[in-house]
């Protein structure tokens, strides 16, 4: 795994320094900031000349980030946004060559360890997962959680990173996990633009951190604009720290320490960060550092110029108050350096940055050139023996003429050559095929891998342990099986924590956690406010720091309030870091059949579309749910478990090994064998289907009922496809809207499992109506699949194929 160099603690104690030492530190800081500025300037030019696709940079924010870096220590965490390149350079968590490698989308994680070319520039991450899926020692490194482009989207995760320090400090049972924390002394640093503080997740997270009192340090980079929109249209009073004054802690209250400092004042910035982080680290008090009077010399990004929306007066002010210019003037006035020396430093820095840029461009270019040369050679060899020589030579000529070519050009040329010679056979053509197959394997790894960790620790590799039942096994409510499962797991693994609305004191609304807070303490089983986004973010941050969180969203309908965190951040984490980071949080919720628009949802179409990167578990009863929790809590990948709302008080047999048996993910189960039709369903509707099966037998129809158990992964052993080869008919029963999860299931069975070739009649789906379910039992009956609906849908399909045996009902 590529290593990211990290310096020492970064602590800045001026009182212990001689003036010469102080000068050396300041000059080094200025050089880092100046190099960062040059990287921004060169980066913009590289985009505008077409060498890179897009550019967004941290120019104008350099000096504040130098000050912040001084108080960032090993073991600390960053959750920031795409302006923080100077901070990353100053801490050693990134460097100039990695900056340019990401700008050019180099897919080699040795060159771009943050994302392997998958994220646009200035999206940072440190790799804290070894190749085998194990954790690195986090306290010996500086840690950066992976950036997202969505403004404020990282804030919920920041809360979780900070909350982990609180748990490590207050829960003495975690003391042995010393590779993740040293007595909770770690601070989670967050950065955000002033415009993004208008986002709802900022306020939600800000409030949650004030309630929880966690070591979270938020820096607001305030340059008075959000792209072209001024602060007057963004923020009440045009001042975020002013309107957040109510969060300032007072004697006897929780809350924040709030600081305000100018972004061009190097000395004040260093002093402010030293004071703010000292109290944050020692007392576990969240802090807000509002850094005002910042500038953005190149505008928001390469997509346009800020001269379009800033007045001449504003542009003149920004030029005068550029933070590097102000620092430069102060250094000269303070006799830290003279004009000639600083000019020489700047010229040397320019040359160094340009050298780094050229080296990175040439390294990637030489790799691609070698692939293009090989493609040209192979096409040329084929042209010599082909009947379409001229056309093949034209393909080679076009490939050689490409300006700033990419791998797509070489692969595209080979594919075109193979199409041109589709009716020919030769050793030379076989060589093209072999080359293409080899490149496809490499490019799949470069661009399509690591949606999950895929390590030996994956829940897909957890050993299958069957449930065991004593001869006198108790028949209990389903909720009691879940309760016993959670109890056993909390006793087994001290890393497991759970939190959510109503989860602690009352044991959740359906009693799955009844009595467990009293047994394990409120530091492990915790009530939260109504804040779905920060619940998920808290779980994500805890999971990144080695804990095993269960984050509860009370009803699946309310998952929508956290969908951006789930989709943009959690689901994409492993992929966007090319396997460098993971967050094995379990999201627990409940849904399907109850009554009313917001308590009966089954939005699996949304979930399947938005949450690729999570395992999607849809247990039909609480025994299945318990087995899935047992599996997931022993794995290292995130998951969503949707329990059946109407199953908590249904009777089930209590397994003797309730905390040990496991349900394998992606393994479909045949609940009832039959020869006439394959019926696939999941969750609560399976009880409806099984009731319908008994009715259908009275009509002489014997259906095979299959429960996929998890929708992602879906039936990896092709149980559905194999069943269809026997029955030749398929019905998918689904509580989701028409064409949602049922379309996903059909695609898997008909296309991925080749089920289409086994059909002797069109496949059908039976789903809910297009609107949300109305309140009341009648509303449920007329809106979602009922026993009558299933019976008649199956019968109609049988009647269509054999009307003599099965005459139409209506």
């Amino acid at each position: 795994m590529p290593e990211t160099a990290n310096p020492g603690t970064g602590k800045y104690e001026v009182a212990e320094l001689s003036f010469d030492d102080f000068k050396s530190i300041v000059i080094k800081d200025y050089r880092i900031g100046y190099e960062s500025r040059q990287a921004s300037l060169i980066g913009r030019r590289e985009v505008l000349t077409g060498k890179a696709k897009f550019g967004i940079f941290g120019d104008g924010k350099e000096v504040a980030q130098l000050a912040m870096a001084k108080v960032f220590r090993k073991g600390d965490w960053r959750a920031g946004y795409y302006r923080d390149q100077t901070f990353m350079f100053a801490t050693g968590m990134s460097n100039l060559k990695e900056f340019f490698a990401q700008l050019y989308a180099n897919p080699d994680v040795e060159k771009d360890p943050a994302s392997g070319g998958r994220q646009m520039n200035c999206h940072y991450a440190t790799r804290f997962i070894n190749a085998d899926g194990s954790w690195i020692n986090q306290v010996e490194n500086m840690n950066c959680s992976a950036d997202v482009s969505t403004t404020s989207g990282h804030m919920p995760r920041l809360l979780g990173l900070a909350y982990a320090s609180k748990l490590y400090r207050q829960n003495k049972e975690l003391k042995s996990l010393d590779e993740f924390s040293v007595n909770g002394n770690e601070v989670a640093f967050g950065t955000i633009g002033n415009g993004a503080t208008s986002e709802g997740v900022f306020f939600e997270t800000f409030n949650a951190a004030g309630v929880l009192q966690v070591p979270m340090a938020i820096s607001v980079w305030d340059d008075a604009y959000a792209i072209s929109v001024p602060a007057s249209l963004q923020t009440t009073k045009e001042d975020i720290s002013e309107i957040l004054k109510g969060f300032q802690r007072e004697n006897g209250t929780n809350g924040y320490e709030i600081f305000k400092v100018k972004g061009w004042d190097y000395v004040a910035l260093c002093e402010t960060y030293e004071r703010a982080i000292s109290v944050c680290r020692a007392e576990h008090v969240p802090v807000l550092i509002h850094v005002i009077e910042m500038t953005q010399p190149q505008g928001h990004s390469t997509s346009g110029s800020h001269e379009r929306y800033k007045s001449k007066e504003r542009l003149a002010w920004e030029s005068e108050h550029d933070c590097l210019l102000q620092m430069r003037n102060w250094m000269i006035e303070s006799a830290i350096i003279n004009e000639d020396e600083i000019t020489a430093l700047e010229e040397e820095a320019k040359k160094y940055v340009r050298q780094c840029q050229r080296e990175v461009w040439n390294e990637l270019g030489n790799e691609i050139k070698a692939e293009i040369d090989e493609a040209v050679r192979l096409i040329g060899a084929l042209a010599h023996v082909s009947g379409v020589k001229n056309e093949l030579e034209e393909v080679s000529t076009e490939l050689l003429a490409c300006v700033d070519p990419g791998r797509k050009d070489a692969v595209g040329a080979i594919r075109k050559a193979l199409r041109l010679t589709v009716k020919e056979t030769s050793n030379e053509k076989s060589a093209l095929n072999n080359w293409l197959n080899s490149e496809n394997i490499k490019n799949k790894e470069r661009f399509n891998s690591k949606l999950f960790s895929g390590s030996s620790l994956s829940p897909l590799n957890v050993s299958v342990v069957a449930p065991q039942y004593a001869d006198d096994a108790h028949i209990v409510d389903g909720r009691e099986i879940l309760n016993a499962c959670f109890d056993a797991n909390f006793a087994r693994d001290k890393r497991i924590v759970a939190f959510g609305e109503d989860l602690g004191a009352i044991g959740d609304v359906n009693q799955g956690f009844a009595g467990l807070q009293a047994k394990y303490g409120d530091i492990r089983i915790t009530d939260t406010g109504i804040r779905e986004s920060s619940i998920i973010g808290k779980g994500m941050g805890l999971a990144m720091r080695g804990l095993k969180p269960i984050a509860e969203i009370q009803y699946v309908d309310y998952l929508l309030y956290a969908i951006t965190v789930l989709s943009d951040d959690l689901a994409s984490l492993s992929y966007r870091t090319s396997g460098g980071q993971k967050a094995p949080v379990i999201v627990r919720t409940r849904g399907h059949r109850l009554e009313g628009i917001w308590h009966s949802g089954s939005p699996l179409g949304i979930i399947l579309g938005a949450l690729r990167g999570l395992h999607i578990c849809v247990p039909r009863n609480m025994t299945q749910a318990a087995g899935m929790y047992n599996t997931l809590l022993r794995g290292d990948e995130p998951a969503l478990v949707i329990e059946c709302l109407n199953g908590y008080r249904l009777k089930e047999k209590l397994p003797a090994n309730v905390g040990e048996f496991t349900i394998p993910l992606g393994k479909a189960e045949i609940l009832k064998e039959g020869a006439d039709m394959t019926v696939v369903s999941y969750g609560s509707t399976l009880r409806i289907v099984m009731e319908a099966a008994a009715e259908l037998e009275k009509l002489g129809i014997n259906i095979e009922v299959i429960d996929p158990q998890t929708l992602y992964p879906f039936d990896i052993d092709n149980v559905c496809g194999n069943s269809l080869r026997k029955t030749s008919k398929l019905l998918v029963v689904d509580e989701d809207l028409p064409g949602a999860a049922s379309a996903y299931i059909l695609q898997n069975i008909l296309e991925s499992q080749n089920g289409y070739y086994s059909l002797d009649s069109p496949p059908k789906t039976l789903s809910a109506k297009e609107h949300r379910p109305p309140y009341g039992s009648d509303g449920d009956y007329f809106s979602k699949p009922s026993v009558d609906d299933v019976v008649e849908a199956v019968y109609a399909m049988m009647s269509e194929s054999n009307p003599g045996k099965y005459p139409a009902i209506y």
Side-chain angles (χ1 to χ4, degrees):
M1 142 178 140
E3 299 292 335
T4 303
N6 286 316
T9 65
K11 195 171 182 180
Y12 185 51
E13 296 287 356
V14 177
E16 300 174 4
L17 300 175
S18 68
F19 184 65
D20 286 342
D21 289 337
F22 176 68
K23 284 172 53 176
S24 176
I25 289 171
V26 173
I27 291 169
K28 180 182 178 183
D29 279 353
Y30 182 77
R31 171 150 188 162
I32 292 170
Y34 194 84
E35 288 176 351
S36 179
R37 176 66 63 85
Q38 293 305 305
S40 297
L41 295 171
I42 292 172
R44 181 179 179 85
R45 288 199 293 269
E46 292 299 280
V47 173
L48 297 180
T49 59
K51 290 183 178 178
K53 298 294 290 184
F54 182 78
I56 194 159
F57 306 103
D59 47 303
K61 315 296 187 289
E62 292 92 351
V63 174
Q65 292 177 29
L66 293 170
M68 185 170 71
K70 292 182 180 301
V71 292
F72 193 86
R73 299 181 182 178
K74 288 183 177 180
D76 285 346
W77 282 83
R78 170 189 172 272
Y81 86 133
Y82 43 70
R83 302 291 184 195
D84 292 348
Q85 68 201 52
T86 306
F87 173 79
M88 296 299 292
F89 298 159
T91 56
M93 289 190 287
S94 187
N95 57 51
L96 285 163
K97 293 192 71 172
E98 292 173 359
F99 170 91
F100 286 112
Q102 191 174 62
L103 182 69
Y104 299 135
N106 192 321
D108 186 347
V109 294
E110 298 290 336
K111 304 295 174 59
D112 171 22
S115 71
R118 295 176 179 187
Q119 292 250 75
M120 71 170 69
N121 75 297
C122 285
H123 285 61
Y124 291 104
T126 54
R127 305 185 73 78
F128 56 74
I129 303 300
N130 294 309
D132 62 358
S134 62
W135 303 96
I136 68 162
N137 189 313
Q138 294 179 358
V139 301
E140 294 179 355
N141 289 273
M142 294 181 175
N143 306 288
C144 174
S145 60
D147 290 347
V148 293
S149 291
T150 49
T151 57
S152 201
H154 58 288
M155 293 299 295
R157 176 190 353 124
L158 173 66
L159 175 69
L161 294 169
Y163 186 59
S165 290
K166 178 175 182 175
L167 295 185
Y168 279 120
R169 179 172 289 185
Q170 295 190 5
N171 185 354
K172 301 307 178 186
E173 292 181 319
L174 301 176
K175 196 169 184 63
S176 62
L177 298 174
D178 55 6
E179 71 271 34
F180 296 104
S181 178
V182 178
N183 194 36
N185 292 333
E186 305 78 27
V187 171
F189 288 70
T191 62
I192 188 170
N194 60 297
T197 61
S198 298
E199 295 275 13
V201 287
F202 172 81
F203 284 95
E204 181 179 324
T205 302
F206 199 85
N207 177 58
V211 171
L212 292 170
Q213 291 294 275
V214 293
M216 184 173 90
I218 302 173
S219 295
V220 177
W221 306 145
D222 190 345
D223 56 27
Y225 286 86
I227 306 184
S228 67
V229 180
S232 60
L233 300 178
Q234 288 276 347
T235 309
T236 302
K237 301 182 180 181
E238 301 185 39
D239 192 318
I240 188 64
S241 60
E242 186 69 22
I243 65 172
L244 292 175
K245 279 184 176 179
F247 285 89
Q248 174 67 49
R249 68 171 178 163
E250 300 169 352
N251 290 335
T253 72
N254 55 16
Y256 278 74
E257 289 296 324
I258 299 176
F259 302 82
K260 182 182 287 187
V261 61
K262 292 179 172 62
W264 47 264
D265 190 335
Y266 175 78
V267 174
L269 283 161
C270 291
E271 291 173 349
T272 299
Y273 272 97
E274 182 65 34
R275 291 200 311 272
I277 303 307
S278 292
V279 67
C280 184
R281 194 183 302 278
E283 299 181 39
H284 274 199
V285 174
V287 298
L288 172 72
I289 303 103
H290 184 194
V291 185
I292 62 172
E293 296 191 12
M294 284 187 146
T295 66
Q296 203 153 269
Q298 297 187 113
H300 174 263
S301 67
T302 55
S303 62
S305 171
H306 61 154
E307 284 86 358
R308 293 180 300 165
Y309 53 84
K310 290 178 181 175
S311 68
K312 291 181 179 179
E313 292 76 16
R314 173 68 193 190
L315 290 169
W317 182 91
E318 289 195 8
S319 178
E320 180 184 351
H321 287 82
D322 184 289
C323 63
L324 285 179
L325 175 61
Q326 290 287 329
M327 183 177 178
R328 187 185 199 274
N329 292 340
W330 169 77
M331 290 169 66
I332 294 172
E333 291 168 3
S334 303
I336 291 171
I337 198 168
N338 62 41
E339 180 70 39
D340 291 340
E341 290 170 335
I342 202 166
T343 299
L345 179 154
E346 290 166 348
E347 288 302 315
E348 184 181 343
K350 287 180 183 178
K351 291 177 182 177
Y352 176 66
V353 176
R354 175 59 77 180
Q355 176 188 338
C356 289
Q357 176 267 319
R358 286 172 177 162
E359 287 178 3
V360 171
W361 176 254
N362 290 335
E363 286 169 1
L364 179 59
N366 289 338
E367 290 179 19
I368 293 174
K369 183 178 183 303
E371 294 177 19
I372 286 177
D373 289 345
E374 180 64 7
V376 168
R377 185 190 70 78
L378 290 168
I379 294 170
L382 178 58
H384 283 300
V385 299
S386 173
V388 289
K389 178 180 180 181
N390 292 339
E391 290 89 335
L392 290 172
E393 288 179 344
E394 184 177 340
V395 172
S396 292
T397 300
E398 290 176 356
L399 179 56
L400 288 170
C402 285
V403 178
D404 297 332
R407 289 187 164 94
K408 66 181 180 62
D409 298 299
V411 170
I414 292 290
R415 293 171 73 175
K416 187 172 184 179
L418 290 170
R419 292 196 299 271
L420 288 169
T421 56
V422 66
K423 296 181 179 180
E424 297 180 358
T425 303
S426 67
N427 291 333
E428 289 79 5
K429 183 178 177 182
S430 296
L432 260 71
N433 265 314
N434 292 338
W435 183 90
L436 181 61
N437 290 336
S438 175
E439 289 303 307
N440 283 342
I441 293 171
K442 295 176 186 175
N443 287 325
K444 183 177 181 180
E445 179 63 28
R446 287 171 179 142
F447 304 110
N448 310 122
S449 62
K450 300 298 182 181
L451 183 60
F452 292 92
S453 71
S455 74
S456 60
L457 303 173
S458 165
L460 298 180
N461 296 323
V462 171
S463 298
V464 178
V465 177
Q468 299 172 3
Y469 296 94
D471 292 339
D472 58 348
H474 294 294
I475 305 297
V476 299
D477 289 348
R479 63 183 175 82
E480 296 180 69
I481 293 176
L482 277 182
N483 188 268
C485 165
F486 291 136
D487 189 3
N489 278 289
F490 269 77
R492 174 184 62 84
D493 191 340
K494 306 303 182 186
R495 297 173 298 168
I496 299 175
V497 295
F499 44 87
E501 300 161 22
D502 302 305
L503 186 73
I506 69 169
D508 89 42
V509 291
N510 297 103
Q511 298 295 282
F513 270 85
L516 297 186
Q517 186 184 72
K519 185 172 183 179
Y520 295 103
D522 60 7
I523 194 66
R524 292 188 68 189
I525 300 172
T526 311
D527 284 312
T528 71
I530 301 174
R531 43 178 183 255
E532 286 81 8
S533 290
S534 62
I535 287 172
I536 300 302
K538 186 160 72 171
M540 186 175 178
L542 293 177
M544 296 174 92
R545 294 193 60 186
L547 298 174
K548 303 286 273 186
I550 301 172
E552 173 163 321
I553 301 297
Q554 199 161 95
Y555 297 106
V556 71
D557 306 75
Y558 304 131
L559 208 68
L560 293 177
Y561 289 89
I563 200 70
T564 54
V565 185
L566 285 162
S567 183
D568 287 342
D569 206 356
L570 180 59
S572 72
L573 178 66
S574 180
Y575 174 78
R576 75 176 188 270
T577 60
S578 195
Q581 297 189 0
K582 64 181 178 181
V585 58
I586 298 172
V587 180
R588 180 194 180 212
T589 189
R590 53 192 63 80
H592 305 308
R593 305 176 70 87
L594 192 61
E595 290 168 348
I597 291 175
W598 287 283
H599 297 84
S600 55
S602 300
L604 268 301
I606 295 173
I607 289 167
L608 288 165
L611 302 189
R612 301 296 173 96
L614 272 70
H615 296 293
I616 309 299
C617 303
V618 284
R620 65 183 180 269
N621 57 37
M622 301 310 155
T623 301
Q624 299 299 101
M628 290 174 184
Y629 286 122
N630 290 335
T631 299
L632 294 167
L633 287 167
R634 289 163 173 80
D636 74 340
E637 294 170 351
L640 171 67
V641 181
I642 305 172
E643 298 165 10
C644 295
L645 255 172
N646 59 359
Y648 292 109
R649 296 189 180 277
L650 297 180
K651 300 300 182 181
E652 300 180 40
K653 188 183 293 187
L654 178 66
N657 57 342
V658 68
E660 301 294 330
F661 79 95
T662 57
I663 299 294
L665 308 185
K667 301 287 187 176
E669 183 178 0
I670 298 176
L671 302 185
K672 176 186 176 299
E673 293 190 351
D676 293 328
M677 186 179 300
T678 299
V679 180
V680 179
S681 190
Y682 61 90
S684 291
T685 45
L686 279 165
R687 283 192 289 276
I688 301 295
V689 172
M690 292 299 285
E691 288 182 42
E695 290 290 321
L696 286 163
E697 286 187 350
K698 298 174 184 176
L699 297 170
I701 300 171
N702 188 14
I703 62 172
E704 184 148 290
V705 181
I706 299 177
D707 176 10
Q709 300 196 96
T710 62
L711 294 181
Y712 202 83
F714 181 86
D715 186 15
I716 57 180
D717 293 331
N718 292 357
V719 172
C720 295
N722 292 335
S723 171
L724 196 54
R725 279 189 277 277
K726 176 175 62 174
T727 67
S728 301
K729 293 180 178 62
L730 174 63
L731 174 66
V732 176
V733 180
D734 176 25
E735 286 189 306
D736 203 354
L737 302 179
S742 56
Y744 165 84
I745 293 170
L746 280 178
Q747 186 269 334
N748 271 278
I749 298 173
L750 299 183
E751 183 179 334
S752 301
Q753 298 185 4
N754 292 319
Y756 172 81
Y757 299 101
S758 300
L759 294 172
D760 65 8
S761 63
K764 295 293 179 69
T765 63
L766 176 61
S767 65
K769 298 298 188 290
E770 293 185 348
H771 54 78
R772 294 193 182 192
Y775 176 67
S777 297
D778 285 345
D780 182 83
Y781 177 85
F782 289 106
S783 299
K784 288 195 171 188
S786 65
V787 173
D788 296 327
D789 293 331
V790 176
V791 169
E792 292 179 8
V794 171
Y795 188 89
M797 291 175 69
M798 297 298 293
S799 175
E800 183 180 4
S801 63
N802 190 346
K805 185 174 181 180
Y806 305 104
I809 297 175
Y810 302 117

